[in-house]
Amino acid sequence: TFTGHLNLNFCYPIAQVHAAALNGGLYNRPFLESFEETPMLVAVLTYMGYGILTVFGYLRDFLRHWKIERCHIAREKEEQKDFVPLYQDFENFYTRNLYMRIRDNWNRPICSVPGAKVDVIERASSDYNWTFNYTGRVVQEVINLGSYNYLGFAENTGPCATSAAEVTAKYGVGVASTRQEIGNLDGHEEMEKLVAKFLGVESAMAFGMGFATNSMNIPALAGKGCLILSDELNHASLVLGVRLSGSTIRVFKHNNMQNLEKLLREAIVHGQPRTHRPWKKILIVVEGIYSMEGSVVRLPEVIALKKRYRAYLYLDEAHSIGALGPRGRGVIDYFGLDPCDVDVMMGTFTKSFGAAGGYIAGKRLIEYLRSHSHSAVYATSMSPPVVEQIITSMKCIMGEDGTTIGLKRVQQLAGNVVYFRKRLQEMGFIIYGNEDSPVVPMMLYMPAKIGAFGREMLKRNIGVVVVGFPATPIIESRARFCISAAHTRDVLDRVTFIN
């Protein structure tokens, strides 16, 4: 294991908090998640670390102001110096003085398929990460623990790649039109019917970008006079979508059903502000797997509350579809629930299916979205090879290709997740999230660890994602591992036995 400053959080006893809820028969399986409050000493040292970085940041800004140190930052033109800044001062300060020092841990260029292993183009910087130069060297066979390649379909060989190549030869790559005009291919129709069948719902609609699937469709579903109850850890695409809708937004504590019920009850009792008229609709917005916490939504309880207070439910399964459930059908499959209990099912093809884009599925709303969603009306149609990748991988998961390859990958992923999480816990690391989540956050806490951990792992040919403020709370910096069915036990052992 790592030694020295990388190993500091081993000094504290791990008192994991497990939430096991069967809640009156709502759950058909134990629901286990572990989170740990940041130890006081670690929190103090973390704040001290950020404080020291801030002091030195202001010192460097002073030197830049007097042109003692060269300034690389983007600035307004001299004739605009009296204008209001284009961006907030602290965000700019954080970027140039803290983030820039560890920027080499992000945006690393790769030159291979993002499978279980990748080839990384080596970069070097002579000005503290303001600019990079390529050294001409390629770091080969880097274990990939950062990609959302949950089922291993991001590959350049096999049936998916072969089918996509054949479709490219027939249809080309671009469609050059929207679905409403002349860009509605037979492949698009086939894909949407397959998605609806896969999810067990009435109909589905696909979009070319996962982020836009949320941000452009929520405004079509809710508007002025509506109330949206959003989990505090929802993805940025959901946050943007609910803001663009013009609805009243109230945020409930993460996975806290008591807080959600309190907001629902207040909404029913008091209605809209000032007028006290009933809300036109109440929409609960949650995710299947939360990508920074590794936690799984308490869906049985959310559905029970939704039915009790007659609200609507919007479920984002970007990370859970394909990655959870005995059949890979997502969090609904994981809990053994009825898909009809979820009003709006959203997911992406970018992760488990190794493609691009997203979908909205449900009952009696798809035809409405075809004419009211900005993403449907104005966006160019999905590329034919991307559509074929989705169709082929989904049929593989469903077993419609005549094999059990897809089911085996779902089972392999589930086994890898349990094994990897157990190994990290045995090593004494503090990890967050649900025991079945392929997103595995490992706590680093201190700012110095963010850069050091990412660099040290790459030296050992392991590629990881490290995350800090503002993507996480300032005292909860972490490394985030994404487990894949493409990982073998030998690969996972190599990660957990490094020295």
PDB file of all heavy atoms in Angstrom, residues 218-229 239-250 272-273 279-283 285:
ATOM      1  N   ILE A 218     -36.797  18.482 -19.281  1.00  0.00           N
ATOM      2  CA  ILE A 218     -37.488  18.879 -18.050  1.00  0.00           C
ATOM      3  C   ILE A 218     -38.280  20.172 -18.254  1.00  0.00           C
ATOM      4  O   ILE A 218     -39.428  20.277 -17.791  1.00  0.00           O
ATOM      5  CB  ILE A 218     -36.496  18.991 -16.879  1.00  0.00           C
ATOM      6  CG1 ILE A 218     -35.947  17.604 -16.512  1.00  0.00           C
ATOM      7  CG2 ILE A 218     -37.158  19.627 -15.654  1.00  0.00           C
ATOM      8  CD1 ILE A 218     -34.907  17.613 -15.420  1.00  0.00           C
ATOM      9  N   PRO A 219     -37.738  21.176 -18.970  1.00  0.00           N
ATOM     10  CA  PRO A 219     -38.548  22.382 -19.217  1.00  0.00           C
ATOM     11  C   PRO A 219     -39.816  22.117 -20.026  1.00  0.00           C
ATOM     12  O   PRO A 219     -40.771  22.897 -19.948  1.00  0.00           O
ATOM     13  CB  PRO A 219     -37.585  23.292 -20.000  1.00  0.00           C
ATOM     14  CG  PRO A 219     -36.230  22.852 -19.592  1.00  0.00           C
ATOM     15  CD  PRO A 219     -36.335  21.372 -19.416  1.00  0.00           C
ATOM     16  N   ALA A 220     -39.832  21.021 -20.799  1.00  0.00           N
ATOM     17  CA  ALA A 220     -41.038  20.678 -21.555  1.00  0.00           C
ATOM     18  C   ALA A 220     -42.082  19.982 -20.681  1.00  0.00           C
ATOM     19  O   ALA A 220     -43.257  19.912 -21.050  1.00  0.00           O
ATOM     20  CB  ALA A 220     -40.674  19.782 -22.742  1.00  0.00           C
ATOM     21  N   LEU A 221     -41.645  19.458 -19.541  1.00  0.00           N
ATOM     22  CA  LEU A 221     -42.541  18.702 -18.669  1.00  0.00           C
ATOM     23  C   LEU A 221     -43.087  19.520 -17.500  1.00  0.00           C
ATOM     24  O   LEU A 221     -44.093  19.162 -16.903  1.00  0.00           O
ATOM     25  CB  LEU A 221     -41.815  17.470 -18.113  1.00  0.00           C
ATOM     26  CG  LEU A 221     -41.369  16.435 -19.152  1.00  0.00           C
ATOM     27  CD1 LEU A 221     -40.475  15.394 -18.500  1.00  0.00           C
ATOM     28  CD2 LEU A 221     -42.568  15.774 -19.804  1.00  0.00           C
ATOM     29  N   ALA A 222     -42.384  20.600 -17.150  1.00  0.00           N
ATOM     30  CA  ALA A 222     -42.807  21.427 -16.016  1.00  0.00           C
ATOM     31  C   ALA A 222     -42.554  22.889 -16.347  1.00  0.00           C
ATOM     32  O   ALA A 222     -41.674  23.216 -17.139  1.00  0.00           O
ATOM     33  CB  ALA A 222     -42.052  21.025 -14.749  1.00  0.00           C
ATOM     34  N   GLY A 223     -43.326  23.766 -15.725  1.00  0.00           N
ATOM     35  CA  GLY A 223     -43.181  25.193 -15.985  1.00  0.00           C
ATOM     36  C   GLY A 223     -43.695  26.018 -14.832  1.00  0.00           C
ATOM     37  O   GLY A 223     -43.782  25.552 -13.692  1.00  0.00           O
ATOM     38  N   LYS A 224     -44.065  27.237 -15.125  1.00  0.00           N
ATOM     39  CA  LYS A 224     -44.545  28.144 -14.089  1.00  0.00           C
ATOM     40  C   LYS A 224     -45.790  27.563 -13.425  1.00  0.00           C
ATOM     41  O   LYS A 224     -46.684  27.039 -14.089  1.00  0.00           O
ATOM     42  CB  LYS A 224     -44.860  29.504 -14.716  1.00  0.00           C
ATOM     43  CG  LYS A 224     -45.174  30.582 -13.690  1.00  0.00           C
ATOM     44  CD  LYS A 224     -45.367  31.937 -14.350  1.00  0.00           C
ATOM     45  CE  LYS A 224     -45.647  33.016 -13.309  1.00  0.00           C
ATOM     46  NZ  LYS A 224     -45.850  34.352 -13.948  1.00  0.00           N
ATOM     47  N   GLY A 225     -45.823  27.638 -12.107  1.00  0.00           N
ATOM     48  CA  GLY A 225     -46.934  27.081 -11.359  1.00  0.00           C
ATOM     49  C   GLY A 225     -46.744  25.644 -10.948  1.00  0.00           C
ATOM     50  O   GLY A 225     -47.595  25.053 -10.284  1.00  0.00           O
ATOM     51  N   CYS A 226     -45.600  25.079 -11.354  1.00  0.00           N
ATOM     52  CA  CYS A 226     -45.269  23.700 -10.970  1.00  0.00           C
ATOM     53  C   CYS A 226     -44.198  23.719  -9.882  1.00  0.00           C
ATOM     54  O   CYS A 226     -43.431  24.676  -9.753  1.00  0.00           O
ATOM     55  CB  CYS A 226     -44.754  22.913 -12.172  1.00  0.00           C
ATOM     56  SG  CYS A 226     -45.930  22.755 -13.529  1.00  0.00           S
ATOM     57  N   LEU A 227     -44.134  22.643  -9.118  1.00  0.00           N
ATOM     58  CA  LEU A 227     -43.134  22.507  -8.057  1.00  0.00           C
ATOM     59  C   LEU A 227     -42.246  21.318  -8.371  1.00  0.00           C
ATOM     60  O   LEU A 227     -42.743  20.225  -8.653  1.00  0.00           O
ATOM     61  CB  LEU A 227     -43.814  22.307  -6.693  1.00  0.00           C
ATOM     62  CG  LEU A 227     -42.884  21.991  -5.516  1.00  0.00           C
ATOM     63  CD1 LEU A 227     -41.962  23.175  -5.210  1.00  0.00           C
ATOM     64  CD2 LEU A 227     -43.685  21.595  -4.279  1.00  0.00           C
ATOM     65  N   ILE A 228     -40.937  21.536  -8.333  1.00  0.00           N
ATOM     66  CA  ILE A 228     -39.978  20.452  -8.539  1.00  0.00           C
ATOM     67  C   ILE A 228     -39.217  20.225  -7.241  1.00  0.00           C
ATOM     68  O   ILE A 228     -38.630  21.153  -6.679  1.00  0.00           O
ATOM     69  CB  ILE A 228     -39.005  20.768  -9.690  1.00  0.00           C
ATOM     70  CG1 ILE A 228     -39.763  20.858 -11.018  1.00  0.00           C
ATOM     71  CG2 ILE A 228     -37.908  19.717  -9.776  1.00  0.00           C
ATOM     72  CD1 ILE A 228     -38.875  21.174 -12.216  1.00  0.00           C
ATOM     73  N   LEU A 229     -39.238  18.988  -6.755  1.00  0.00           N
ATOM     74  CA  LEU A 229     -38.478  18.592  -5.569  1.00  0.00           C
ATOM     75  C   LEU A 229     -37.266  17.811  -6.045  1.00  0.00           C
ATOM     76  O   LEU A 229     -37.392  16.740  -6.630  1.00  0.00           O
ATOM     77  CB  LEU A 229     -39.345  17.742  -4.641  1.00  0.00           C
ATOM     78  CG  LEU A 229     -40.643  18.401  -4.157  1.00  0.00           C
ATOM     79  CD1 LEU A 229     -41.433  17.449  -3.278  1.00  0.00           C
ATOM     80  CD2 LEU A 229     -40.342  19.693  -3.409  1.00  0.00           C
ATOM     81  N   VAL A 239     -30.010  19.822 -12.616  1.00  0.00           N
ATOM     82  CA  VAL A 239     -30.084  21.152 -11.992  1.00  0.00           C
ATOM     83  C   VAL A 239     -30.381  22.212 -13.051  1.00  0.00           C
ATOM     84  O   VAL A 239     -31.235  23.085 -12.864  1.00  0.00           O
ATOM     85  CB  VAL A 239     -28.769  21.472 -11.256  1.00  0.00           C
ATOM     86  CG1 VAL A 239     -28.781  22.911 -10.741  1.00  0.00           C
ATOM     87  CG2 VAL A 239     -28.553  20.503 -10.107  1.00  0.00           C
ATOM     88  N   LEU A 240     -29.682  22.133 -14.186  1.00  0.00           N
ATOM     89  CA  LEU A 240     -29.919  23.097 -15.257  1.00  0.00           C
ATOM     90  C   LEU A 240     -31.334  22.955 -15.813  1.00  0.00           C
ATOM     91  O   LEU A 240     -32.014  23.962 -16.071  1.00  0.00           O
ATOM     92  CB  LEU A 240     -28.890  22.897 -16.372  1.00  0.00           C
ATOM     93  CG  LEU A 240     -29.036  23.811 -17.586  1.00  0.00           C
ATOM     94  CD1 LEU A 240     -28.918  25.277 -17.176  1.00  0.00           C
ATOM     95  CD2 LEU A 240     -28.002  23.464 -18.650  1.00  0.00           C
ATOM     96  N   GLY A 241     -31.783  21.727 -15.995  1.00  0.00           N
ATOM     97  CA  GLY A 241     -33.117  21.500 -16.532  1.00  0.00           C
ATOM     98  C   GLY A 241     -34.217  22.078 -15.661  1.00  0.00           C
ATOM     99  O   GLY A 241     -35.145  22.734 -16.157  1.00  0.00           O
ATOM    100  N   VAL A 242     -34.114  21.852 -14.341  1.00  0.00           N
ATOM    101  CA  VAL A 242     -35.171  22.363 -13.454  1.00  0.00           C
ATOM    102  C   VAL A 242     -35.119  23.887 -13.379  1.00  0.00           C
ATOM    103  O   VAL A 242     -36.155  24.545 -13.249  1.00  0.00           O
ATOM    104  CB  VAL A 242     -35.082  21.732 -12.046  1.00  0.00           C
ATOM    105  CG1 VAL A 242     -35.253  20.224 -12.123  1.00  0.00           C
ATOM    106  CG2 VAL A 242     -33.783  22.083 -11.345  1.00  0.00           C
ATOM    107  N   ARG A 243     -33.925  24.470 -13.493  1.00  0.00           N
ATOM    108  CA  ARG A 243     -33.831  25.936 -13.483  1.00  0.00           C
ATOM    109  C   ARG A 243     -34.438  26.529 -14.759  1.00  0.00           C
ATOM    110  O   ARG A 243     -35.126  27.545 -14.715  1.00  0.00           O
ATOM    111  CB  ARG A 243     -32.374  26.369 -13.333  1.00  0.00           C
ATOM    112  CG  ARG A 243     -31.805  26.145 -11.944  1.00  0.00           C
ATOM    113  CD  ARG A 243     -30.344  26.510 -11.874  1.00  0.00           C
ATOM    114  NE  ARG A 243     -29.797  26.366 -10.525  1.00  0.00           N
ATOM    115  CZ  ARG A 243     -28.511  26.489 -10.223  1.00  0.00           C
ATOM    116  NH1 ARG A 243     -27.637  26.762 -11.174  1.00  0.00           N
ATOM    117  NH2 ARG A 243     -28.108  26.337  -8.981  1.00  0.00           N
ATOM    118  N   LEU A 244     -34.157  25.897 -15.890  1.00  0.00           N
ATOM    119  CA  LEU A 244     -34.686  26.394 -17.152  1.00  0.00           C
ATOM    120  C   LEU A 244     -36.205  26.263 -17.238  1.00  0.00           C
ATOM    121  O   LEU A 244     -36.853  26.978 -18.002  1.00  0.00           O
ATOM    122  CB  LEU A 244     -34.045  25.643 -18.332  1.00  0.00           C
ATOM    123  CG  LEU A 244     -32.567  25.919 -18.609  1.00  0.00           C
ATOM    124  CD1 LEU A 244     -32.070  25.012 -19.724  1.00  0.00           C
ATOM    125  CD2 LEU A 244     -32.354  27.378 -18.987  1.00  0.00           C
ATOM    126  N   SER A 245     -36.767  25.366 -16.463  1.00  0.00           N
ATOM    127  CA  SER A 245     -38.211  25.127 -16.543  1.00  0.00           C
ATOM    128  C   SER A 245     -39.034  26.306 -16.036  1.00  0.00           C
ATOM    129  O   SER A 245     -40.193  26.469 -16.412  1.00  0.00           O
ATOM    130  CB  SER A 245     -38.583  23.868 -15.760  1.00  0.00           C
ATOM    131  OG  SER A 245     -38.474  24.098 -14.358  1.00  0.00           O
ATOM    132  N   GLY A 246     -38.449  27.113 -15.159  1.00  0.00           N
ATOM    133  CA  GLY A 246     -39.199  28.212 -14.567  1.00  0.00           C
ATOM    134  C   GLY A 246     -40.076  27.790 -13.411  1.00  0.00           C
ATOM    135  O   GLY A 246     -40.837  28.597 -12.862  1.00  0.00           O
ATOM    136  N   SER A 247     -39.992  26.531 -13.030  1.00  0.00           N
ATOM    137  CA  SER A 247     -40.786  26.024 -11.902  1.00  0.00           C
ATOM    138  C   SER A 247     -40.188  26.485 -10.582  1.00  0.00           C
ATOM    139  O   SER A 247     -39.027  26.896 -10.499  1.00  0.00           O
ATOM    140  CB  SER A 247     -40.826  24.493 -11.935  1.00  0.00           C
ATOM    141  OG  SER A 247     -41.317  24.015 -13.157  1.00  0.00           O
ATOM    142  N   THR A 248     -40.976  26.390  -9.543  1.00  0.00           N
ATOM    143  CA  THR A 248     -40.464  26.598  -8.190  1.00  0.00           C
ATOM    144  C   THR A 248     -39.662  25.365  -7.798  1.00  0.00           C
ATOM    145  O   THR A 248     -40.106  24.233  -8.005  1.00  0.00           O
ATOM    146  CB  THR A 248     -41.610  26.819  -7.200  1.00  0.00           C
ATOM    147  OG1 THR A 248     -42.350  27.971  -7.601  1.00  0.00           O
ATOM    148  CG2 THR A 248     -41.085  27.006  -5.783  1.00  0.00           C
ATOM    149  N   ILE A 249     -38.482  25.575  -7.249  1.00  0.00           N
ATOM    150  CA  ILE A 249     -37.578  24.465  -6.936  1.00  0.00           C
ATOM    151  C   ILE A 249     -37.358  24.401  -5.430  1.00  0.00           C
ATOM    152  O   ILE A 249     -37.045  25.417  -4.796  1.00  0.00           O
ATOM    153  CB  ILE A 249     -36.221  24.634  -7.648  1.00  0.00           C
ATOM    154  CG1 ILE A 249     -36.420  24.828  -9.152  1.00  0.00           C
ATOM    155  CG2 ILE A 249     -35.317  23.444  -7.374  1.00  0.00           C
ATOM    156  CD1 ILE A 249     -35.190  25.364  -9.856  1.00  0.00           C
ATOM    157  N   ARG A 250     -37.493  23.218  -4.891  1.00  0.00           N
ATOM    158  CA  ARG A 250     -37.136  22.993  -3.489  1.00  0.00           C
ATOM    159  C   ARG A 250     -36.241  21.759  -3.429  1.00  0.00           C
ATOM    160  O   ARG A 250     -36.553  20.738  -4.053  1.00  0.00           O
ATOM    161  CB  ARG A 250     -38.386  22.819  -2.617  1.00  0.00           C
ATOM    162  CG  ARG A 250     -39.148  24.135  -2.476  1.00  0.00           C
ATOM    163  CD  ARG A 250     -40.405  24.029  -1.694  1.00  0.00           C
ATOM    164  NE  ARG A 250     -41.147  25.291  -1.713  1.00  0.00           N
ATOM    165  CZ  ARG A 250     -42.423  25.412  -1.432  1.00  0.00           C
ATOM    166  NH1 ARG A 250     -43.127  24.345  -1.090  1.00  0.00           N
ATOM    167  NH2 ARG A 250     -43.020  26.587  -1.480  1.00  0.00           N
ATOM    168  N   GLN A 272     -49.188  27.190  -3.614  1.00  0.00           N
ATOM    169  CA  GLN A 272     -48.233  28.142  -4.148  1.00  0.00           C
ATOM    170  C   GLN A 272     -48.071  29.351  -3.225  1.00  0.00           C
ATOM    171  O   GLN A 272     -49.004  29.718  -2.513  1.00  0.00           O
ATOM    172  CB  GLN A 272     -48.683  28.612  -5.536  1.00  0.00           C
ATOM    173  CG  GLN A 272     -48.782  27.503  -6.568  1.00  0.00           C
ATOM    174  CD  GLN A 272     -49.146  28.034  -7.938  1.00  0.00           C
ATOM    175  OE1 GLN A 272     -48.636  29.052  -8.397  1.00  0.00           O
ATOM    176  NE2 GLN A 272     -50.051  27.331  -8.623  1.00  0.00           N
ATOM    177  N   PRO A 273     -46.882  29.964  -3.241  1.00  0.00           N
ATOM    178  CA  PRO A 273     -46.673  31.155  -2.401  1.00  0.00           C
ATOM    179  C   PRO A 273     -47.648  32.275  -2.767  1.00  0.00           C
ATOM    180  O   PRO A 273     -48.052  32.417  -3.919  1.00  0.00           O
ATOM    181  CB  PRO A 273     -45.230  31.565  -2.734  1.00  0.00           C
ATOM    182  CG  PRO A 273     -44.585  30.328  -3.280  1.00  0.00           C
ATOM    183  CD  PRO A 273     -45.678  29.577  -3.980  1.00  0.00           C
ATOM    184  N   TRP A 279     -50.591  23.504  -6.569  1.00  0.00           N
ATOM    185  CA  TRP A 279     -49.583  23.430  -7.613  1.00  0.00           C
ATOM    186  C   TRP A 279     -50.161  22.710  -8.833  1.00  0.00           C
ATOM    187  O   TRP A 279     -50.939  21.762  -8.698  1.00  0.00           O
ATOM    188  CB  TRP A 279     -48.355  22.662  -7.119  1.00  0.00           C
ATOM    189  CG  TRP A 279     -47.629  23.336  -5.996  1.00  0.00           C
ATOM    190  CD1 TRP A 279     -47.734  23.054  -4.661  1.00  0.00           C
ATOM    191  CD2 TRP A 279     -46.711  24.420  -6.110  1.00  0.00           C
ATOM    192  NE1 TRP A 279     -46.929  23.887  -3.937  1.00  0.00           N
ATOM    193  CE2 TRP A 279     -46.281  24.739  -4.794  1.00  0.00           C
ATOM    194  CE3 TRP A 279     -46.203  25.149  -7.176  1.00  0.00           C
ATOM    195  CZ2 TRP A 279     -45.365  25.749  -4.529  1.00  0.00           C
ATOM    196  CZ3 TRP A 279     -45.278  26.164  -6.921  1.00  0.00           C
ATOM    197  CH2 TRP A 279     -44.870  26.459  -5.612  1.00  0.00           C
ATOM    198  N   LYS A 280     -49.798  23.169 -10.027  1.00  0.00           N
ATOM    199  CA  LYS A 280     -50.261  22.511 -11.243  1.00  0.00           C
ATOM    200  C   LYS A 280     -49.794  21.061 -11.274  1.00  0.00           C
ATOM    201  O   LYS A 280     -50.528  20.163 -11.667  1.00  0.00           O
ATOM    202  CB  LYS A 280     -49.746  23.251 -12.478  1.00  0.00           C
ATOM    203  CG  LYS A 280     -50.357  24.630 -12.661  1.00  0.00           C
ATOM    204  CD  LYS A 280     -49.803  25.314 -13.914  1.00  0.00           C
ATOM    205  CE  LYS A 280     -50.424  26.692 -14.100  1.00  0.00           C
ATOM    206  NZ  LYS A 280     -49.840  27.375 -15.297  1.00  0.00           N
ATOM    207  N   LYS A 281     -48.563  20.846 -10.876  1.00  0.00           N
ATOM    208  CA  LYS A 281     -48.038  19.484 -10.720  1.00  0.00           C
ATOM    209  C   LYS A 281     -46.829  19.539  -9.809  1.00  0.00           C
ATOM    210  O   LYS A 281     -46.163  20.578  -9.685  1.00  0.00           O
ATOM    211  CB  LYS A 281     -47.672  18.857 -12.067  1.00  0.00           C
ATOM    212  CG  LYS A 281     -46.452  19.432 -12.742  1.00  0.00           C
ATOM    213  CD  LYS A 281     -46.147  18.754 -14.077  1.00  0.00           C
ATOM    214  CE  LYS A 281     -47.127  19.187 -15.150  1.00  0.00           C
ATOM    215  NZ  LYS A 281     -46.680  18.797 -16.517  1.00  0.00           N
ATOM    216  N   ILE A 282     -46.560  18.432  -9.155  1.00  0.00           N
ATOM    217  CA  ILE A 282     -45.365  18.289  -8.313  1.00  0.00           C
ATOM    218  C   ILE A 282     -44.513  17.183  -8.920  1.00  0.00           C
ATOM    219  O   ILE A 282     -44.990  16.061  -9.122  1.00  0.00           O
ATOM    220  CB  ILE A 282     -45.734  17.950  -6.856  1.00  0.00           C
ATOM    221  CG1 ILE A 282     -46.601  19.067  -6.252  1.00  0.00           C
ATOM    222  CG2 ILE A 282     -44.476  17.757  -6.026  1.00  0.00           C
ATOM    223  CD1 ILE A 282     -47.112  18.755  -4.860  1.00  0.00           C
ATOM    224  N   LEU A 283     -43.258  17.500  -9.230  1.00  0.00           N
ATOM    225  CA  LEU A 283     -42.353  16.560  -9.881  1.00  0.00           C
ATOM    226  C   LEU A 283     -41.168  16.278  -8.968  1.00  0.00           C
ATOM    227  O   LEU A 283     -40.449  17.200  -8.567  1.00  0.00           O
ATOM    228  CB  LEU A 283     -41.871  17.132 -11.221  1.00  0.00           C
ATOM    229  CG  LEU A 283     -40.947  16.260 -12.063  1.00  0.00           C
ATOM    230  CD1 LEU A 283     -41.691  15.011 -12.557  1.00  0.00           C
ATOM    231  CD2 LEU A 283     -40.401  17.051 -13.255  1.00  0.00           C
ATOM    232  N   VAL A 285     -37.532  14.702  -8.635  1.00  0.00           N
ATOM    233  CA  VAL A 285     -36.424  14.403  -9.545  1.00  0.00           C
ATOM    234  C   VAL A 285     -35.298  13.739  -8.761  1.00  0.00           C
ATOM    235  O   VAL A 285     -34.748  14.330  -7.826  1.00  0.00           O
ATOM    236  CB  VAL A 285     -35.915  15.678 -10.236  1.00  0.00           C
ATOM    237  CG1 VAL A 285     -34.761  15.352 -11.175  1.00  0.00           C
ATOM    238  CG2 VAL A 285     -37.043  16.361 -11.009  1.00  0.00           C
TER     239      VAL A 285
END
